[in-house]
Amino acid sequence: MIDSYIQPKEIVIDSTLSLVKYYPNYKRSFPWYQDLEVCKQVDNRDSPYDLKLLSQMYRYLSRAGECYYIKFRENGRSRLIGDITLYNGEIAIVICKEYQNRHLGRKSVEALIKRAKQVGWTKVDAEIYSFNKQSQKMFLSVGFQQIASERYRITL
C-alpha cells in the first residue's frame, strides 16, 4: 500500500493488457518462479522459489507498495503473464518466458510510471543485474537512465 492512496483494482493499458491488483493466485504465478532463467533475471537466483518464499515475497511487496498481476488477452482468452510492483521508490517486474520480448513489459512499466506520478513520486528506481541486458534495454527505452552499475532511475 502506498501511503494515503487506494490501490486501483485494475489499471487498463489497452484492449489486450491490464494490471490487476494482487490477490493470492499461486497456481498461475508459481510456474514463473520455477523457471531458472526468470529467477536469474529477476533475483539473480540459481534455484527456483518454493511456495513459502513466493507467498512471503508477494506479502512483502503488496504491503510495501502496490503489487499487480499483468493480464494479457490473446485469441479471446485472458491469462496472467507476470507481475509488477511499485514499492519503496522502486519498480520491479517479472514476465513469464513465453511472453517476453513482445513489449508487454514495456507497456506495463509505462503504466506504473504514470501511477507513480499520480501518487506524487518524483522518481522511480529499478535494480537490474548487469547481465540482464534485455531488462536494461527495456528500462532505458522508457526513459530510465543508469545511475550506478545495477541501478536505473527515471525522474518524473
Side-chain angles (χ1 to χ4, degrees), residues 61-77:
L61 292 174
S62 61
R63 288 181 185 146
E66 293 185 355
C67 187
Y68 299 90
Y69 289 118
I70 301 167
K71 183 172 81 172
F72 181 59
R73 184 167 183 77
E74 181 177 51
N75 299 325
R77 187 170 173 214

Side-chain angles (χ1 to χ4, degrees), residues 5-42:
Y5 289 90
I6 297 173
Q7 181 178 353
K9 289 184 180 180
E10 184 173 24
I11 298 172
V12 176
I13 298 170
D14 62 32
S15 62
T16 64
L17 191 63
S18 65
L19 307 180
V20 178
K21 183 178 178 178
Y22 164 76
Y23 59 94
N25 187 350
Y26 305 132
K27 180 180 177 183
R28 184 62 190 142
S29 61
F30 188 63
W32 311 329
Y33 292 94
Q34 295 298 288
D35 184 315
L36 292 179
E37 284 184 57
V38 171
C39 289
K40 188 71 171 176
Q41 287 173 330
V42 175

Side-chain angles (χ1 to χ4, degrees), residues 26 29-59 61 83 87 92-94 129:
Y26 305 132
S29 61
F30 188 63
W32 311 329
Y33 292 94
Q34 295 298 288
D35 184 315
L36 292 179
E37 284 184 57
V38 171
C39 289
K40 188 71 171 176
Q41 287 173 330
V42 175
D43 287 326
N44 198 15
R45 292 177 56 92
D46 294 320
S47 59
Y49 279 61
D50 59 25
L51 282 173
K52 181 180 178 185
L53 181 60
L54 184 66
S55 67
Q56 289 172 339
M57 177 201 72
Y58 277 128
R59 275 196 312 273
L61 292 174
D83 58 60
Y87 69 105
I93 184 170
V94 173
Y129 296 107

Side-chain angles (χ1 to χ4, degrees), residues 93 105-106 109 133-143:
I93 184 170
R106 178 177 297 154
V109 168
K133 304 300 182 194
Q134 178 180 333
S135 286
Q136 291 170 4
K137 182 178 176 183
M138 187 273 293
F139 275 90
L140 290 169
S141 76
V142 298

Side-chain angles (χ1 to χ4, degrees), residues 44-135:
N44 198 15
R45 292 177 56 92
D46 294 320
S47 59
Y49 279 61
D50 59 25
L51 282 173
K52 181 180 178 185
L53 181 60
L54 184 66
S55 67
Q56 289 172 339
M57 177 201 72
Y58 277 128
R59 275 196 312 273
Y60 170 77
L61 292 174
S62 61
R63 288 181 185 146
E66 293 185 355
C67 187
Y68 299 90
Y69 289 118
I70 301 167
K71 183 172 81 172
F72 181 59
R73 184 167 183 77
E74 181 177 51
N75 299 325
R77 187 170 173 214
S78 292
R79 64 179 31 209
L80 301 180
I81 62 164
D83 58 60
I84 188 166
T85 306
L86 278 178
Y87 69 105
N88 299 336
E90 295 190 24
I91 190 169
I93 184 170
V94 173
I95 301 277
C96 66
K97 180 71 81 202
E98 66 254 41
Y99 289 92
Q100 291 182 4
N101 298 310
R102 295 173 63 175
H103 303 290
L104 303 170
R106 178 177 297 154
K107 289 178 182 180
S108 299
V109 168
E110 289 172 335
L112 274 198
I113 290 169
K114 288 178 187 175
R115 176 68 180 154
K117 287 179 187 178
Q118 288 174 345
V119 299
W121 289 13
T122 58
K123 65 182 175 16
V124 178
D125 286 358
E127 183 178 339
I128 306 169
Y129 296 107
S130 58
F131 56 81
N132 192 343
K133 304 300 182 194
Q134 178 180 333
S135 286

